[in-house]
Amino acid sequence: MRNLRLLRNGGCRPAAATGTPQCFCLGTEPGTVLVGSQHGLVELGSARDEVTREVDLTVEGFMPEDGSGCIVGIEDLPEQECVCVATAAGDILLCSLSTKQVECVGSVDSGLSTMSWSPDQELVLLVTGQQTLIMMTREFEPITEKQLHQDEFGEGKFVALGWGKKETQFHGSEGKQAAHHKQMEVSPTSAWDDGRPRVTWRGDGQFVAVSAVCPETGARKVRVWNRELVLQSTSEPVSGLEQALSWKPSGNLIASTQEKPNRHVVFLEKNGLLHGEFTLPFQKGQVKVNELLWNADSTILAIWLEDLQVDNSNPNSYVQLWTTGNYHWYLKQSLHFGSLEEYQLVSLLWDRENLYRLHVLCQGWHYFFYDWHWTIDHGMGENSQHMANVAVIDGDKVLVTAFQHAVVPPPMCTYELQLQQAVNQVAFHTDPKHSGDMAVLDADNKISVYRYGQSTTSDPTVRLGAVGGNGFKAAVETPYLDKTYRVDVGSSNNGVMNPLGLRFLTWLSDDSFLVVGQGQDAAQSVLHHLTAVPHETEAEEQRLSLRFSVPVDGEVISLCCTPATKTIALQLADRRILKYVWDASAPILEPWRSSSGCAVQFPYPCMQASITRIGDEEVILGLTDRCRFIVNDTEVASNITSFATYNEFLLVTTNSHTCQCFCLKNMPLKALQAGLSSAAAPNSETLRKVERGSRIITVVPQDTKVVLQMPRGNLETVHHRALVLAQIRKWLDRLMFREAFQSMRKLRINLNLLYDHNPKVFLENAENFIRQIDTVSYINLFFTELKEEDFTKTMYPSLNGSSKAQSYQHPDQKKVNLICDVMRVAMENIDPQKYCLSILTAHVKKSPPELEIALQKVHDLRENNTPDVKAVSAEEALKYLLFLVDVNELYDYSLGTYDFDLVIMVAEKSQKDPKEYLPFLNTLRKMETNYQRYTIDKYLKRYTKALGHLSKCGPEHFSEFLNLVKDQNQYCEALKLYPPSTQEYKDISDAYGEYLVQKQLYEQAALIFARAGIFAKALDAFQDSGSWQQALCMATRLGYTKDKLSSLARSMAGKLVEQRKHAEAAILLEQYTEDYEEALLLLLEGALWEEALRLIHKYGRLDILETNFKPAILEAQKSQLIFLCSQKEAFLRHKSRLQVVRELKEKACESLQDYETPNCPELDLFSETSSVVTASDMSSKYSHSNSRISVRSSKNRRKAERKRYSLKEGSPFEDIALLEVLGENVRAVETVKGDIHILLKQLVLFGYNEQAGTLQQVLEEVLQLVETSIPEIWTPHLQQSSVNPVLGPSSTANSIMAAYQQKRMMTPVVQDPELLIPPKLNKNLQWKLHLLQ
């Protein structure tokens, strides 16, 4: 689908050159050409019209002075800094252009007809006048000499395996008669054949092919030789084989020509067999082919032709450029050099460096070069119906494919335009309203204009292609030939005939065209504005005259146009970008400036350019032949093979065989650069895989098609997810639900997007949606795809981030239920009969499914047997319901409706055996209604409903009721079914209480027992739960005697003492057993001094003060002193050890600053032996051991948790263990402050001031020590790390690295961060007694 576009052309004509040129080659310096004439060697520079250097060979006598000498070969040898020249006389000369010295390195007496160097310039092959081949090295040492004409085939001779005679073999399409054909006589060469041997090398230089006229038959044969000049193969006899010969550089074919009814280009394989051909567009005997030349990448075949039948004048010369795709040969460009003698071609060459540069030398010393590149000619509009047309040049035809209507693979097309001459350029109208109209520039400098619309008669020059014929009516509209214009500008420039003098044809407005021509200077271009001249006569041909010209300071090498702003961007050879506004009153040509005001210059020359908008700025995009993608003057990617813009989208294909799509609307350049350089997320809508080597041909507007072409030439259409979603969103915004739905269904887009795109709008337009979709099966499909998730956040997040989705869900309703309800109501309003199946689907899709309602609707259909044709029958509805729901599930639901007709209706559709379900249903039918329903509910395991029905069946079924309650633990539901006053309520409560006692929920069991009046069981349960007050209440309700109550109180007091509840035990003993002495002893044991004093004074037993009270408080003072001293000693010991451990750790960390271990960022502790143990190692160790312990008892697990932080010196986590112990010490001291305060008061009361003072002083010292030590132990950065842990769920790689660099990693990685927080001291508690200070 690509055409060749001329990027630039140039050349020179030196005034001083003498003689006539005979052959030429390219010089080492860029832009120089070495030409051989009958007098010597001339170097031309393409920039200047003069000879830069020359060497005269007549002076030394190597060439005759009369001008009869002939140079047969010329080659520039850059390593030897000289030029090798072979003369027909047989001399091989090395000429130095700088010193003008000539050295003869060899001579052949019989003369030379050809000299050909291998592509690597390591070997040279000479063909002598005696028809021999001489292979020499680059130093001109002979390797071997062979006769050109050999009798044998060569080393690659075919081996006959003796598989029968020719007559018995398969002959394919030729049929059996092919076996009896006689071998045709090989006709000799044409009269115009010069008889000279032709030599061509394969691209890698391993083989060389030589075409020569056989002296016996007079026909040409092609022989293939290797580098040692060993014959490999000889071509099969080809009748009328001609002189042109060129081996494809990629190596698979050798091109030549053959005389047939039409002139043919034929291809030979290395083994000598024919392999393919194509026809040249000339009659037999009309032209001769002088040369064939492949360009360096084997994509273009140049053919040099001359007219044969010419009377009394010079023949016309042509150069044609052919390319192939999908096994079809296209004539892409035709250069007509006319018949003037000075423009007769001498030779042509393809450039080795610049793959698409063609060099041409004419007899009058005219030298031209042409730079081509590939382009795709397609319509630029966005609104008309002819906007996705792509035009392909094929000789005198333009093949147009309208991708809007059908994707027709090349070489076929939708329709073709037949012109008088070979076509060189096609331009589509820049006006978006007429973007299908075409202007075609042919080799005669005529522009043919094809338009759509007004013409009523069919145009004979327009012929339908693949879409017409065979009785089908073509739906595609074809254009008609409106006008033909003759262009007077550019064909002759300064009297110099230059084919393709005009390039970059651009159709601006109705009769206005823009072309780029060559300026006075070689490095200048001119913009020509052409307009139609009003013509008086009814001539078929009109003339385009030059309205004005705008000179450009530089050579224009690409041009792109934007119709919206009437702007053209020109790229110059020095990569500058110029902006040309053509619609202004005076044309403006100025540098293209970016938003910052800087003039834009591409970093590399770009072969394809396009104008688009990124955000609010108009930018120019460029793509180089080396896959570099450029936006303004910034290179954003280096792996792009093709690109296209469409609306706000940019599509690119990459070397990694992906097609990416970007929305440029709100995308900054940096984001685009990041998107192109990084791999997109796997489910991202921006990226999709494509076939290797795919290139974008066009994007079909207002559709989602992207047409790609494969390297072979076949087409592939993809619907890029980003374009699809953008189009669907546009349709949904315009409430075009039908179009959106059909596209989503066809392209497998999840239908949830219909709602999620804009829930509010969808729910408000539910009726509109149903009317547009209309088809019941489509609505059902929508229902079945519904899911709770929001697809605009998960699967299809918006490319530009501006999603319109706002949650329109009611907080108490799920999304699916909401849609089902709204749509069901809408369908019932429109036509409940038509949408019956969809209404059923809406019920079933809800969560939980409303199957009973759905079944009821089916049942109603059965009852209302209306004769309406449109209505769905009950049979159909049930069948559909069974498609949605499993039949066994539906059977159970139908049973749950207690409607036996419905049950039988469903059962008939299932695989169930009637012998199973009929007896079961008959048994149910015989039962009383409530018991029947209980049986059904129990069968369906709906126990709550079953209990409700069974409770109505009377007292004779209560035992069955109670058993069911016990089996299914349905106690709460059962209690609701009976009044509290009934015996049934009491029985259920009794069973419930027993159940709770089994679960060891004694207090709840006691409450249930007490509520039901089962006081004995309530008493036991309250006793077990430790609620002694409630137990005594129950005892009173049971009418306990005083003695019984006393023994109950004593037993409960014993239990309370075990739980260290001395005060409550004392109340029981004092109030219910009247044993105040025992109560007093319990109070002293529990250190409840003030309560003990109250009882002593209440009962007047002051003697107990001396015997029990005072010794008890003194004993308490001693034990508190011992406790405080031990805590102080332990605190100091652990604190000093923590200091040592931290110092060791800091030293080890410093020594590892230069030598980091892989786990270094997590260092926790270093023992005195400097063994390093890291947190990750330890965590894995503990997680491993814990996973082993977890299967053991909880006691063992708690033990393992306690052992996690060991105090053993040098153990891992020793500092954490020390922190834990120090924290426990502080909390223990803090806890006893209140107890000591009460004790101090009693000691002072009874005059023990000394003991009280000692105790107060010791506690004060301990508290002071703790208070001053806390900031040293729990340092501020340790507390900070507990708030922001270095490692954790919210950590990032950067935060961990920063923490490490700040040496925060000294903080151990712990599983209990609360250990890093210092314990709180309660300073509000006034525990000190001032009278002791």
Side-chain angles (χ1 to χ4, degrees), residues 844-999:
V844 172
K845 186 64 189 175
K846 285 184 76 172
S847 169
E850 296 175 345
L851 288 177
E852 288 96 335
I853 301 173
L855 281 165
Q856 195 54 52
K857 293 208 162 166
V858 173
H859 190 248
D860 294 348
L861 281 174
R862 193 170 213 181
E863 297 297 309
N864 315 334
N865 230 338
T866 52
D868 191 353
V869 182
K870 280 199 294 180
V872 177
S873 67
E875 196 79 11
E876 267 182 84
L878 185 62
K879 209 171 182 180
Y880 177 71
L881 210 52
L882 289 171
F883 166 69
L884 295 178
V885 188
D886 176 53
V887 66
N888 295 319
E889 194 183 339
L890 201 61
Y891 174 78
D892 291 346
Y893 269 101
S894 62
L895 203 55
T897 61
Y898 317 118
D899 181 341
F900 292 113
D901 293 347
L902 200 58
V903 177
I904 289 170
M905 194 167 93
V906 173
E908 283 171 353
K909 295 283 178 197
S910 73
Q911 300 295 313
K912 290 180 181 293
D913 186 352
K915 288 178 184 171
E916 288 177 20
Y917 66 80
L918 285 177
F920 173 61
L921 294 179
N922 290 335
T923 311
L924 289 173
R925 273 196 171 122
K926 289 172 189 167
M927 292 177 183
E928 185 266 330
T929 307
N930 282 319
Y931 195 75
Q932 178 197 77
R933 291 185 174 184
Y934 151 72
T935 313
I936 290 170
D937 287 330
K938 190 180 172 189
Y939 170 77
L940 297 175
K941 297 183 180 166
R942 301 194 298 199
Y943 298 111
T944 309
K945 273 189 169 184
L947 288 172
H949 291 306
L950 191 55
S951 66
K952 297 171 188 168
C953 291
E956 66 272 15
H957 291 291
F958 183 69
S959 59
E960 194 177 346
F961 178 91
L962 197 57
N963 287 336
L964 182 62
V965 170
K966 287 178 183 176
D967 287 346
Q968 301 302 328
N969 298 332
Q970 297 275 333
Y971 298 103
C972 294
E973 284 76 11
L975 287 170
K976 290 173 195 168
L977 296 171
Y978 288 97
S981 55
T982 57
Q983 181 60 36
E984 285 91 345
Y985 187 88
K986 194 171 181 179
D987 291 347
I988 295 165
S989 298
D990 192 7
Y992 192 16
E994 294 292 351
Y995 169 72
L996 291 170
V997 167
Q998 280 175 6
K999 293 274 184 188

Side-chain angles (χ1 to χ4, degrees), residues 1029-1181:
Q1029 295 95 333
Q1030 291 278 20
L1032 291 168
C1033 297
M1034 292 300 108
T1036 310
R1037 295 292 288 269
L1038 287 166
Y1040 270 29
T1041 61
K1042 197 171 184 182
D1043 293 346
K1044 207 169 177 185
L1045 203 60
S1046 173
S1047 66
L1048 175 67
R1050 195 172 286 281
S1051 74
M1052 284 199 294
K1055 284 182 184 173
L1056 289 169
V1057 171
E1058 285 170 20
Q1059 295 165 14
R1060 301 199 56 76
K1061 293 180 180 175
H1062 294 89
E1064 294 176 24
I1067 291 169
L1068 278 171
L1069 290 175
E1070 187 212 345
Q1071 293 182 4
Y1072 288 91
T1073 64
E1074 297 174 358
D1075 186 350
Y1076 64 86
E1077 285 186 13
E1078 186 72 28
L1080 267 170
L1081 292 174
L1082 285 180
L1083 289 169
L1084 292 175
E1085 187 186 332
L1088 298 159
W1089 315 115
E1090 291 175 340
E1091 182 65 13
L1093 276 178
R1094 187 183 71 78
L1095 283 193
I1096 287 169
H1097 288 85
K1098 180 184 174 185
Y1099 292 103
R1101 292 289 306 276
L1102 298 178
D1103 57 300
I1104 293 176
L1105 287 174
E1106 299 297 331
T1107 55
N1108 294 79
F1109 191 87
K1110 288 179 181 178
I1113 60 171
L1114 289 171
E1115 184 62 37
Q1117 186 258 359
K1118 278 181 201 165
S1119 66
Q1120 290 287 22
L1121 272 178
I1122 292 164
F1123 171 74
L1124 287 173
C1125 291
S1126 69
Q1127 287 295 335
K1128 183 179 178 182
E1129 183 197 342
F1131 187 84
L1132 287 167
R1133 188 174 72 250
H1134 292 137
K1135 181 188 166 189
S1136 62
R1137 175 61 192 164
L1138 181 64
Q1139 198 65 35
V1140 172
V1141 168
R1142 282 181 174 167
E1143 283 171 13
L1144 279 169
K1145 188 173 184 181
E1146 272 190 28
K1147 280 179 194 168
C1149 245
E1150 282 165 15
S1151 69
L1152 280 169
Q1153 281 296 315
D1154 300 327
Y1155 180 71
E1156 289 188 7
T1157 63
N1159 290 324
C1160 195
E1162 297 177 4
L1163 288 180
D1164 282 306
L1165 189 65
F1166 306 89
S1167 69
E1168 286 161 287
T1169 57
S1170 293
S1171 64
V1172 179
V1173 182
T1174 65
S1176 60
D1177 295 341
M1178 284 315 302
S1179 64
S1180 64
K1181 172 183 167 184

Side-chain angles (χ1 to χ4, degrees), residues 283 369 540 585 679 692 1002 1010 1012 1014 1084 1298:
Q283 297 303 314
F369 72 84
E540 203 177 289
S585 54
R692 182 184 290 269
Y1002 298 114
I1014 310 166
L1084 292 175

Side-chain angles (χ1 to χ4, degrees), residues 1131 1226 1265-1275 1279 1318-1319 1321:
F1131 187 84
V1226 174
L1265 171 69
V1266 166
E1267 203 168 334
T1268 54
S1269 301
I1270 279 177
E1272 299 168 26
I1273 297 166
W1274 287 275
T1275 54
Q1279 296 174 45
L1321 297 179

Side-chain angles (χ1 to χ4, degrees), residues 396-462:
D396 56 358
K397 290 198 284 283
V398 178
L399 313 179
V400 183
T401 304
F403 286 108
Q404 184 82 12
H405 300 281
V407 178
V408 181
M412 295 186 287
C413 59
T414 311
Y415 57 84
E416 57 185 50
L417 314 177
Q418 179 69 55
L419 287 105
Q420 303 293 321
Q421 286 288 340
V423 176
N424 284 336
Q425 289 182 63
V426 177
F428 282 88
H429 204 311
T430 52
D431 182 356
K433 294 190 180 66
H434 306 288
S435 65
D437 298 355
M438 283 171 283
V440 180
L441 176 66
D442 62 26
D444 272 358
N445 267 10
K446 289 180 185 172
I447 294 178
S448 304
V449 173
Y450 283 84
R451 296 182 189 271
Y452 281 95
Q454 298 93 351
S455 176
T456 49
T457 57
S458 62
D459 191 327
T461 66
V462 181

Side-chain angles (χ1 to χ4, degrees), residues 6-11 46 368-370 489-494 496 498-503 515-528 549-552 554-556:
L6 182 63
L7 297 188
R8 62 197 284 201
N9 59 357
S46 62
F368 303 106
F369 72 84
Y370 299 92
V489 184
S491 55
S492 61
N493 187 18
N494 307 334
V496 175
N498 183 2
L500 305 189
L502 304 177
R503 58 191 198 275
V515 289
V516 178
Q518 196 68 32
Q520 297 289 335
D521 187 4
Q524 269 198 338
S525 295
V526 181
L527 299 180
H528 297 301
S549 295
V550 182
V552 181
E555 240 181 317
V556 177

Side-chain angles (χ1 to χ4, degrees), residues 261-495:
N262 285 57
R263 180 76 57 211
H264 273 57
V265 174
V266 293
F267 299 106
L268 298 153
E269 295 182 42
K270 179 176 147 277
N271 59 16
L273 296 179
L274 286 170
H275 182 114
E277 60 182 26
F278 69 88
T279 311
L280 295 175
F282 298 100
Q283 297 303 314
K284 185 176 182 181
Q286 189 180 345
V287 292
K288 66 174 182 176
V289 178
N290 284 337
E291 289 293 344
L292 299 172
L293 273 113
W294 291 98
N295 75 328
D297 69 351
S298 307
T299 51
I300 306 173
L301 180 63
I303 304 179
W304 165 22
L305 308 110
E306 275 183 14
D307 284 348
L308 272 178
Q309 298 166 340
V310 179
D311 303 324
N312 308 323
S313 67
N314 291 314
N316 282 309
S317 298
Y318 316 95
V319 175
Q320 294 186 342
L321 303 186
W322 291 78
T323 67
T324 183
N326 231 8
Y327 308 107
H328 175 79
W329 282 89
Y330 298 89
L331 171 55
K332 289 295 181 189
Q333 292 287 329
S334 193
L335 285 73
H336 291 196
F337 284 88
S339 59
L340 289 173
E341 186 175 350
E342 61 177 317
Y343 291 109
Q344 295 298 300
L345 296 192
V346 173
S347 184
L348 58 154
L349 280 176
W350 283 104
D351 202 285
R352 289 189 294 269
E353 306 283 322
N354 193 333
L355 301 181
Y356 301 111
R357 175 172 288 183
L358 181 68
H359 303 270
V360 180
L361 183 65
C362 300
Q363 280 187 6
W365 288 95
H366 292 288
Y367 158 68
F368 303 106
F369 72 84
Y370 299 92
D371 281 0
W372 312 91
H373 211 273
W374 297 109
T375 182
I376 295 163
D377 293 312
H378 57 79
M380 290 192 283
E382 290 164 7
N383 307 334
S384 79
Q385 57 175 341
H386 311 294
M387 49 214 161
N389 292 1
V390 175
V392 180
I393 295 171
D394 185 11
D396 56 358
K397 290 198 284 283
V398 178
L399 313 179
V400 183
T401 304
F403 286 108
Q404 184 82 12
H405 300 281
V407 178
V408 181
M412 295 186 287
C413 59
T414 311
Y415 57 84
E416 57 185 50
L417 314 177
Q418 179 69 55
L419 287 105
Q420 303 293 321
Q421 286 288 340
V423 176
N424 284 336
Q425 289 182 63
V426 177
F428 282 88
H429 204 311
T430 52
D431 182 356
K433 294 190 180 66
H434 306 288
S435 65
D437 298 355
M438 283 171 283
V440 180
L441 176 66
D442 62 26
D444 272 358
N445 267 10
K446 289 180 185 172
I447 294 178
S448 304
V449 173
Y450 283 84
R451 296 182 189 271
Y452 281 95
Q454 298 93 351
S455 176
T456 49
T457 57
S458 62
D459 191 327
T461 66
V462 181
R463 198 161 61 83
L464 277 174
V467 296
N470 299 338
F472 291 104
K473 186 176 185 299
V476 61
E477 186 189 353
T478 57
Y480 66 95
L481 178 59
D482 184 33
K483 290 171 187 165
T484 304
Y485 297 109
R486 191 177 74 255
V487 182
D488 292 340
V489 184
S491 55
S492 61
N493 187 18
N494 307 334

